[in-house]
Amino acid sequence: MRLQAPRGTFDVLPGDARRRLDLQRNAADVLGRAGYGPFETPIFEDTELFARGVGEATDIVQKEMFTFEDKAGRSLTLRPEGTAGVCRAYAEHGMHKLAQPVKLWYWGPFFRHEAPQAGRFRQFTQVGAEALGSDDPSLDAELILLLAELIELAGAGPARLRVSSLGTPETRAAYLEELTTYLRAREGELSEDVRERLDQNPLRAFDADHPGTRAVMEAAPRLLDRLDPADADHFAAVRDLLDRAGVQYDVDSTLVRGLDYYTRTVFEFESQRLGAQAALGGGGRYDRLVEELGGPATPGVGWAAGIERILLAAEDARDARVADVFVAIAKPESGGSAFLMTQRLRQEGLRVVMEQAGRGMKGQLKQANRVGARATVIVGDGIDVKDMDSGDQRAADSAEAAVQMVRETVG
Ligand code: AMP
C-alpha cells in the first residue's frame, strides 16, 4: 500500500516552499526593522506549560493537544501555540534583566488536533511576534501595524481588522456573570443553541443569526462599557495611535480569542477571500502570563499568524517565476560553456537555471518560458541572447558582452 502523509498534515512542494520562504524573509525584514529579534523555543514542552499558560478550560487544552509520555513517564505536548513557550523562556533566562521591552519574533510548526478542512490543519506554521516588559500602548499599535504590513506584503490584503479590549480577568468574570444573568432573564426569546451553551459560553450569543436572540443581544451589556478607567484609557490610547497611523479597524466588543491569557487589547485580522477559516492572525496583551508561569510580573503583547492561511488568501497573487535567465545549449559539445555561463550569471546575483534534461532547442525555449525567464542565453558556436518578452534575439561578441546584454534585458 502506498503511504500518505498523516491526516491534517501536508507536504510543502517547491512552488509553495518558495512562497513560504519569501514570506519568512519579509517577516525577518519587517520585524527586524522594528527591533524584533529572531527567537526559537522547543517544538515540545512540558504539558503543564500549556495547561497553565493557555488555560485548562480552553478548547485547545481540553481537546486539541498532541500529548505523549516520554520514557520516564513525563507528560509532553507538541506546542499548540507560541506565546506560552516564549514567556517560559523569558522567565527561565531572566530576560527581565535585559533592557525592556524584549522584542522577539518566531516562525515554526504548531500542532492542534482539530478536524481538518480548508485552511485548518493538524500541523500548521505560524509566524509570531511578542514584546515583553512594557505595557506601553505604542507596542500594541506597533504590533498591529506590523502584522498588517506582513499581510499586505504577502498579497493577502486587504484584511478586516477587529480590535477590542478585555480589561482584566476580574472585570471579565464580573461581566460574564452580568451577561449570563441578563440572558437567563430572557431565556424564552433565545435560540435553543444559545440557551444550551449559556453557562459555557454566553458570548456566543453575540454571533447568533436567530432573530429573537439578535433582538436580545442588541440591548445586552457590553464588556467595553465595563472596563476599569485605566484599561479604558489604555484602549483609547491604542486606538488613537491606530487612527493617527491611518489604520482601518472595527471595534468589536464581542471579539473573543481561544486562549485564556489575554488582558486588555485583543485583535484579529480576517480575510474576505477565505471561507469558514477566515482568521489570518491575531493576538493581544497578556500582562499576567509570565507571572502565572512563575516569572516576575511582566506585561506582554504579541500576535501569531497562520502562514498557510496567508498564502491561501494570497493565492491569486501567485508568481510562478523561478528564474530570471535560462541558459540553453545549442549543440551537445557546448554543455561545458553553458555551465560556466550559468555560474558567471549567478555571480551577478541573477536567478539562473540551465538546460539539464537533454531537450531539443524548441523544448528548451518552452522550458525557459515555463520557469519565467526574461532572457535566454543560447550557447553554441557563438552566444545569442534572446529577450523572452519581445522575442528579439541578438548575437554577443563575447561571454562578457552576453552577460551585459542579459543585465540590460532583465533590468
Ligand atoms: P490563534 O492564536 O489560535 O488565533 O492562531 C493564530 C493563527 O494561526 C490563526 O489566525 C490562523 O491563521 C492560524 N491557525 C490556528 N490554528 C490553525 C490550524 N489548525 N490550521 C491552520 N492555521 C491555524
Side-chain angles (χ1 to χ4, degrees), residues 113-147:
H113 200 290
E114 298 193 85
Q117 62 179 89
R120 197 208 266 162
F121 310 98
R122 290 183 173 170
Q123 174 175 340
F124 55 98
T125 314
Q126 282 186 344
V127 58
E130 318 276 357
L132 292 109
S134 166
D135 66 1
D136 197 289
S138 70
L139 286 167
D140 308 47
E142 166 179 292
L143 278 157
I144 290 173
L145 258 69
L146 288 167
L147 182 50

mmCIF file of all heavy atoms in Angstrom, residues 113-147:
data_model
loop_
_atom_site.group_PDB
_atom_site.id
_atom_site.type_symbol
_atom_site.label_atom_id
_atom_site.label_comp_id
_atom_site.label_asym_id
_atom_site.label_seq_id
_atom_site.Cartn_x
_atom_site.Cartn_y
_atom_site.Cartn_z
ATOM 1 N N HIS A 113 -5.004 19.157 17.372
ATOM 2 C CA HIS A 113 -5.802 18.028 16.918
ATOM 3 C C HIS A 113 -7.204 18.518 16.608
ATOM 4 O O HIS A 113 -8.130 18.361 17.402
ATOM 5 C CB HIS A 113 -5.815 16.936 17.985
ATOM 6 C CG HIS A 113 -6.181 15.600 17.423
ATOM 7 N ND1 HIS A 113 -7.448 15.325 16.983
ATOM 8 C CD2 HIS A 113 -5.446 14.505 17.192
ATOM 9 C CE1 HIS A 113 -7.475 14.082 16.527
ATOM 10 N NE2 HIS A 113 -6.260 13.573 16.635
ATOM 11 N N GLU A 114 -7.354 19.162 15.424
ATOM 12 C CA GLU A 114 -8.641 19.709 15.015
ATOM 13 C C GLU A 114 -9.159 18.892 13.842
ATOM 14 O O GLU A 114 -8.397 18.155 13.218
ATOM 15 C CB GLU A 114 -8.473 21.155 14.568
ATOM 16 C CG GLU A 114 -7.974 22.062 15.680
ATOM 17 C CD GLU A 114 -8.112 23.533 15.318
ATOM 18 O OE1 GLU A 114 -9.208 24.061 15.541
ATOM 19 O OE2 GLU A 114 -7.151 24.126 14.833
ATOM 20 N N ALA A 115 -10.441 19.054 13.521
ATOM 21 C CA ALA A 115 -10.987 18.377 12.333
ATOM 22 C C ALA A 115 -10.448 19.096 11.101
ATOM 23 O O ALA A 115 -10.719 20.270 10.917
ATOM 24 C CB ALA A 115 -12.506 18.433 12.365
ATOM 25 N N PRO A 116 -9.672 18.414 10.256
ATOM 26 C CA PRO A 116 -9.065 19.104 9.114
ATOM 27 C C PRO A 116 -10.119 19.591 8.125
ATOM 28 O O PRO A 116 -11.133 18.931 7.922
ATOM 29 C CB PRO A 116 -8.186 18.023 8.463
ATOM 30 C CG PRO A 116 -8.021 16.974 9.500
ATOM 31 C CD PRO A 116 -9.250 17.011 10.332
ATOM 32 N N GLN A 117 -9.892 20.740 7.547
ATOM 33 C CA GLN A 117 -10.724 21.287 6.473
ATOM 34 C C GLN A 117 -9.899 22.350 5.774
ATOM 35 O O GLN A 117 -8.734 22.550 6.130
ATOM 36 C CB GLN A 117 -12.019 21.868 7.028
ATOM 37 C CG GLN A 117 -11.809 23.036 7.982
ATOM 38 C CD GLN A 117 -13.119 23.586 8.492
ATOM 39 O OE1 GLN A 117 -13.634 23.138 9.484
ATOM 40 N NE2 GLN A 117 -13.661 24.576 7.803
ATOM 41 N N ALA A 118 -10.472 23.017 4.752
ATOM 42 C CA ALA A 118 -9.694 24.027 4.031
ATOM 43 C C ALA A 118 -9.169 25.066 5.016
ATOM 44 O O ALA A 118 -9.950 25.658 5.764
ATOM 45 C CB ALA A 118 -10.575 24.689 2.980
ATOM 46 N N GLY A 119 -7.858 25.253 5.055
ATOM 47 C CA GLY A 119 -7.279 26.272 5.932
ATOM 48 C C GLY A 119 -7.145 25.838 7.377
ATOM 49 O O GLY A 119 -6.746 26.630 8.236
ATOM 50 N N ARG A 120 -7.504 24.584 7.681
ATOM 51 C CA ARG A 120 -7.329 24.124 9.070
ATOM 52 C C ARG A 120 -6.626 22.776 9.061
ATOM 53 O O ARG A 120 -7.121 21.807 8.483
ATOM 54 C CB ARG A 120 -8.668 24.028 9.763
ATOM 55 C CG ARG A 120 -8.497 23.960 11.272
ATOM 56 C CD ARG A 120 -9.632 23.226 11.887
ATOM 57 N NE ARG A 120 -10.690 24.107 12.320
ATOM 58 C CZ ARG A 120 -11.917 23.679 12.560
ATOM 59 N NH1 ARG A 120 -12.237 22.417 12.365
ATOM 60 N NH2 ARG A 120 -12.826 24.510 12.982
ATOM 61 N N PHE A 121 -5.469 22.733 9.688
ATOM 62 C CA PHE A 121 -4.624 21.548 9.641
ATOM 63 C C PHE A 121 -4.272 21.106 11.058
ATOM 64 O O PHE A 121 -4.518 21.813 12.020
ATOM 65 C CB PHE A 121 -3.331 21.869 8.868
ATOM 66 C CG PHE A 121 -3.592 22.525 7.547
ATOM 67 C CD1 PHE A 121 -3.506 23.907 7.411
ATOM 68 C CD2 PHE A 121 -3.956 21.769 6.447
ATOM 69 C CE1 PHE A 121 -3.783 24.523 6.193
ATOM 70 C CE2 PHE A 121 -4.225 22.369 5.232
ATOM 71 C CZ PHE A 121 -4.136 23.751 5.104
ATOM 72 N N ARG A 122 -3.654 19.927 11.150
ATOM 73 C CA ARG A 122 -3.187 19.465 12.468
ATOM 74 C C ARG A 122 -1.740 19.867 12.708
ATOM 75 O O ARG A 122 -1.318 20.008 13.851
ATOM 76 C CB ARG A 122 -3.389 17.963 12.568
ATOM 77 C CG ARG A 122 -4.870 17.645 12.649
ATOM 78 C CD ARG A 122 -5.159 16.185 12.826
ATOM 79 N NE ARG A 122 -6.587 16.022 13.053
ATOM 80 C CZ ARG A 122 -7.197 14.857 13.063
ATOM 81 N NH1 ARG A 122 -6.510 13.734 12.863
ATOM 82 N NH2 ARG A 122 -8.484 14.803 13.277
ATOM 83 N N GLN A 123 -0.974 19.992 11.641
ATOM 84 C CA GLN A 123 0.319 20.671 11.743
ATOM 85 C C GLN A 123 0.248 21.878 10.823
ATOM 86 O O GLN A 123 -0.059 21.739 9.633
ATOM 87 C CB GLN A 123 1.487 19.778 11.306
ATOM 88 C CG GLN A 123 2.803 20.577 11.299
ATOM 89 C CD GLN A 123 4.046 19.760 11.002
ATOM 90 O OE1 GLN A 123 4.053 18.545 11.149
ATOM 91 N NE2 GLN A 123 5.092 20.449 10.606
ATOM 92 N N PHE A 124 0.476 23.055 11.369
ATOM 93 C CA PHE A 124 0.455 24.276 10.573
ATOM 94 C C PHE A 124 1.632 25.135 11.008
ATOM 95 O O PHE A 124 2.352 24.793 11.943
ATOM 96 C CB PHE A 124 -0.886 25.009 10.744
ATOM 97 C CG PHE A 124 -1.238 25.299 12.175
ATOM 98 C CD1 PHE A 124 -0.992 26.546 12.733
ATOM 99 C CD2 PHE A 124 -1.796 24.314 12.985
ATOM 100 C CE1 PHE A 124 -1.299 26.811 14.064
ATOM 101 C CE2 PHE A 124 -2.106 24.580 14.321
ATOM 102 C CZ PHE A 124 -1.852 25.820 14.852
ATOM 103 N N THR A 125 1.843 26.242 10.311
ATOM 104 C CA THR A 125 3.018 27.069 10.586
ATOM 105 C C THR A 125 2.562 28.451 11.013
ATOM 106 O O THR A 125 1.662 29.016 10.400
ATOM 107 C CB THR A 125 3.876 27.192 9.316
ATOM 108 O OG1 THR A 125 3.998 25.900 8.737
ATOM 109 C CG2 THR A 125 5.248 27.756 9.631
ATOM 110 N N GLN A 126 3.169 28.935 12.064
ATOM 111 C CA GLN A 126 2.845 30.301 12.487
ATOM 112 C C GLN A 126 4.092 31.166 12.464
ATOM 113 O O GLN A 126 5.192 30.704 12.775
ATOM 114 C CB GLN A 126 2.303 30.310 13.927
ATOM 115 C CG GLN A 126 0.856 29.872 14.033
ATOM 116 C CD GLN A 126 0.303 30.017 15.432
ATOM 117 O OE1 GLN A 126 1.050 30.166 16.398
ATOM 118 N NE2 GLN A 126 -1.006 29.974 15.559
ATOM 119 N N VAL A 127 3.883 32.434 12.117
ATOM 120 C CA VAL A 127 4.885 33.447 12.406
ATOM 121 C C VAL A 127 4.294 34.254 13.557
ATOM 122 O O VAL A 127 3.088 34.492 13.594
ATOM 123 C CB VAL A 127 5.182 34.328 11.166
ATOM 124 C CG1 VAL A 127 3.951 35.033 10.637
ATOM 125 C CG2 VAL A 127 6.279 35.340 11.489
ATOM 126 N N GLY A 128 5.138 34.601 14.516
ATOM 127 C CA GLY A 128 4.616 35.320 15.679
ATOM 128 C C GLY A 128 5.589 36.387 16.129
ATOM 129 O O GLY A 128 6.788 36.310 15.841
ATOM 130 N N ALA A 129 5.071 37.401 16.805
ATOM 131 C CA ALA A 129 5.926 38.456 17.345
ATOM 132 C C ALA A 129 5.433 38.803 18.743
ATOM 133 O O ALA A 129 4.217 38.802 18.985
ATOM 134 C CB ALA A 129 5.877 39.686 16.443
ATOM 135 N N GLU A 130 6.364 39.052 19.647
ATOM 136 C CA GLU A 130 5.996 39.337 21.037
ATOM 137 C C GLU A 130 6.883 40.468 21.562
ATOM 138 O O GLU A 130 8.070 40.526 21.222
ATOM 139 C CB GLU A 130 6.234 38.110 21.942
ATOM 140 C CG GLU A 130 5.826 36.769 21.359
ATOM 141 C CD GLU A 130 4.355 36.424 21.531
ATOM 142 O OE1 GLU A 130 3.624 37.196 22.169
ATOM 143 O OE2 GLU A 130 3.946 35.379 20.997
ATOM 144 N N ALA A 131 6.292 41.346 22.379
ATOM 145 C CA ALA A 131 7.064 42.391 23.054
ATOM 146 C C ALA A 131 6.774 42.280 24.543
ATOM 147 O O ALA A 131 5.628 42.454 24.970
ATOM 148 C CB ALA A 131 6.675 43.764 22.540
ATOM 149 N N LEU A 132 7.798 41.949 25.321
ATOM 150 C CA LEU A 132 7.611 41.734 26.759
ATOM 151 C C LEU A 132 8.322 42.807 27.572
ATOM 152 O O LEU A 132 9.381 43.302 27.178
ATOM 153 C CB LEU A 132 8.157 40.364 27.157
ATOM 154 C CG LEU A 132 7.374 39.191 26.598
ATOM 155 C CD1 LEU A 132 8.167 38.481 25.523
ATOM 156 C CD2 LEU A 132 7.008 38.223 27.709
ATOM 157 N N GLY A 133 7.718 43.138 28.730
ATOM 158 C CA GLY A 133 8.389 44.025 29.671
ATOM 159 C C GLY A 133 7.906 45.461 29.624
ATOM 160 O O GLY A 133 8.510 46.325 30.267
ATOM 161 N N SER A 134 6.841 45.751 28.895
ATOM 162 C CA SER A 134 6.292 47.108 28.902
ATOM 163 C C SER A 134 4.816 47.036 28.545
ATOM 164 O O SER A 134 4.423 46.232 27.693
ATOM 165 C CB SER A 134 7.020 47.988 27.885
ATOM 166 O OG SER A 134 6.268 49.178 27.670
ATOM 167 N N ASP A 135 4.010 47.900 29.187
ATOM 168 C CA ASP A 135 2.588 47.912 28.804
ATOM 169 C C ASP A 135 2.268 49.149 27.974
ATOM 170 O O ASP A 135 1.114 49.535 27.839
ATOM 171 C CB ASP A 135 1.687 47.795 30.041
ATOM 172 C CG ASP A 135 1.793 49.003 30.946
ATOM 173 O OD1 ASP A 135 2.554 49.945 30.621
ATOM 174 O OD2 ASP A 135 1.109 49.023 31.992
ATOM 175 N N ASP A 136 3.300 49.747 27.391
ATOM 176 C CA ASP A 136 3.091 50.947 26.583
ATOM 177 C C ASP A 136 2.138 50.656 25.406
ATOM 178 O O ASP A 136 2.376 49.722 24.643
ATOM 179 C CB ASP A 136 4.439 51.428 26.052
ATOM 180 C CG ASP A 136 4.364 52.857 25.576
ATOM 181 O OD1 ASP A 136 3.719 53.084 24.513
ATOM 182 O OD2 ASP A 136 4.898 53.737 26.255
ATOM 183 N N PRO A 137 1.078 51.483 25.261
ATOM 184 C CA PRO A 137 0.110 51.234 24.180
ATOM 185 C C PRO A 137 0.741 51.294 22.787
ATOM 186 O O PRO A 137 0.189 50.726 21.831
ATOM 187 C CB PRO A 137 -0.920 52.360 24.332
ATOM 188 C CG PRO A 137 -0.658 52.990 25.642
ATOM 189 C CD PRO A 137 0.709 52.628 26.105
ATOM 190 N N SER A 138 1.888 51.953 22.667
ATOM 191 C CA SER A 138 2.524 52.028 21.340
ATOM 192 C C SER A 138 2.980 50.651 20.889
ATOM 193 O O SER A 138 3.104 50.400 19.687
ATOM 194 C CB SER A 138 3.706 53.000 21.343
ATOM 195 O OG SER A 138 4.766 52.477 22.100
ATOM 196 N N LEU A 139 3.228 49.739 21.842
ATOM 197 C CA LEU A 139 3.607 48.377 21.450
ATOM 198 C C LEU A 139 2.412 47.643 20.843
ATOM 199 O O LEU A 139 2.552 46.946 19.831
ATOM 200 C CB LEU A 139 4.149 47.600 22.653
ATOM 201 C CG LEU A 139 5.552 48.017 23.097
ATOM 202 C CD1 LEU A 139 5.888 47.429 24.461
ATOM 203 C CD2 LEU A 139 6.608 47.613 22.071
ATOM 204 N N ASP A 140 1.244 47.817 21.443
ATOM 205 C CA ASP A 140 0.039 47.185 20.896
ATOM 206 C C ASP A 140 -0.182 47.677 19.461
ATOM 207 O O ASP A 140 -0.420 46.894 18.544
ATOM 208 C CB ASP A 140 -1.202 47.526 21.740
ATOM 209 C CG ASP A 140 -1.017 47.252 23.229
ATOM 210 O OD1 ASP A 140 0.024 47.644 23.791
ATOM 211 O OD2 ASP A 140 -1.907 46.631 23.833
ATOM 212 N N ALA A 141 -0.099 49.006 19.304
ATOM 213 C CA ALA A 141 -0.349 49.602 17.987
ATOM 214 C C ALA A 141 0.728 49.190 16.986
ATOM 215 O O ALA A 141 0.431 48.846 15.842
ATOM 216 C CB ALA A 141 -0.414 51.123 18.114
ATOM 217 N N GLU A 142 1.978 49.209 17.438
ATOM 218 C CA GLU A 142 3.092 48.826 16.555
ATOM 219 C C GLU A 142 2.920 47.397 16.051
ATOM 220 O O GLU A 142 3.088 47.113 14.852
ATOM 221 C CB GLU A 142 4.397 48.954 17.341
ATOM 222 C CG GLU A 142 5.609 48.294 16.722
ATOM 223 C CD GLU A 142 6.860 48.516 17.574
ATOM 224 O OE1 GLU A 142 7.313 49.666 17.655
ATOM 225 O OE2 GLU A 142 7.373 47.541 18.154
ATOM 226 N N LEU A 143 2.570 46.497 16.960
ATOM 227 C CA LEU A 143 2.423 45.094 16.553
ATOM 228 C C LEU A 143 1.281 44.921 15.559
ATOM 229 O O LEU A 143 1.388 44.143 14.603
ATOM 230 C CB LEU A 143 2.219 44.217 17.800
ATOM 231 C CG LEU A 143 3.542 43.876 18.505
ATOM 232 C CD1 LEU A 143 3.328 43.519 19.960
ATOM 233 C CD2 LEU A 143 4.259 42.728 17.781
ATOM 234 N N ILE A 144 0.198 45.653 15.760
ATOM 235 C CA ILE A 144 -0.926 45.580 14.819
ATOM 236 C C ILE A 144 -0.483 46.070 13.436
ATOM 237 O O ILE A 144 -0.746 45.436 12.412
ATOM 238 C CB ILE A 144 -2.133 46.393 15.350
ATOM 239 C CG1 ILE A 144 -2.730 45.686 16.565
ATOM 240 C CG2 ILE A 144 -3.181 46.591 14.257
ATOM 241 C CD1 ILE A 144 -3.815 46.467 17.296
ATOM 242 N N LEU A 145 0.259 47.168 13.413
ATOM 243 C CA LEU A 145 0.758 47.704 12.135
ATOM 244 C C LEU A 145 1.698 46.716 11.448
ATOM 245 O O LEU A 145 1.676 46.575 10.225
ATOM 246 C CB LEU A 145 1.508 49.016 12.381
ATOM 247 C CG LEU A 145 0.759 50.302 12.047
ATOM 248 C CD1 LEU A 145 -0.385 50.537 12.997
ATOM 249 C CD2 LEU A 145 1.703 51.497 12.080
ATOM 250 N N LEU A 146 2.528 46.051 12.245
ATOM 251 C CA LEU A 146 3.496 45.109 11.656
ATOM 252 C C LEU A 146 2.784 43.922 11.007
ATOM 253 O O LEU A 146 3.145 43.503 9.905
ATOM 254 C CB LEU A 146 4.474 44.620 12.734
ATOM 255 C CG LEU A 146 5.495 45.665 13.196
ATOM 256 C CD1 LEU A 146 6.203 45.205 14.462
ATOM 257 C CD2 LEU A 146 6.503 45.967 12.083
ATOM 258 N N LEU A 147 1.750 43.408 11.687
ATOM 259 C CA LEU A 147 1.027 42.281 11.092
ATOM 260 C C LEU A 147 0.279 42.735 9.837
ATOM 261 O O LEU A 147 0.262 42.033 8.821
ATOM 262 C CB LEU A 147 0.076 41.641 12.114
ATOM 263 C CG LEU A 147 -0.712 40.423 11.636
ATOM 264 C CD1 LEU A 147 0.169 39.381 10.969
ATOM 265 C CD2 LEU A 147 -1.496 39.787 12.790
#
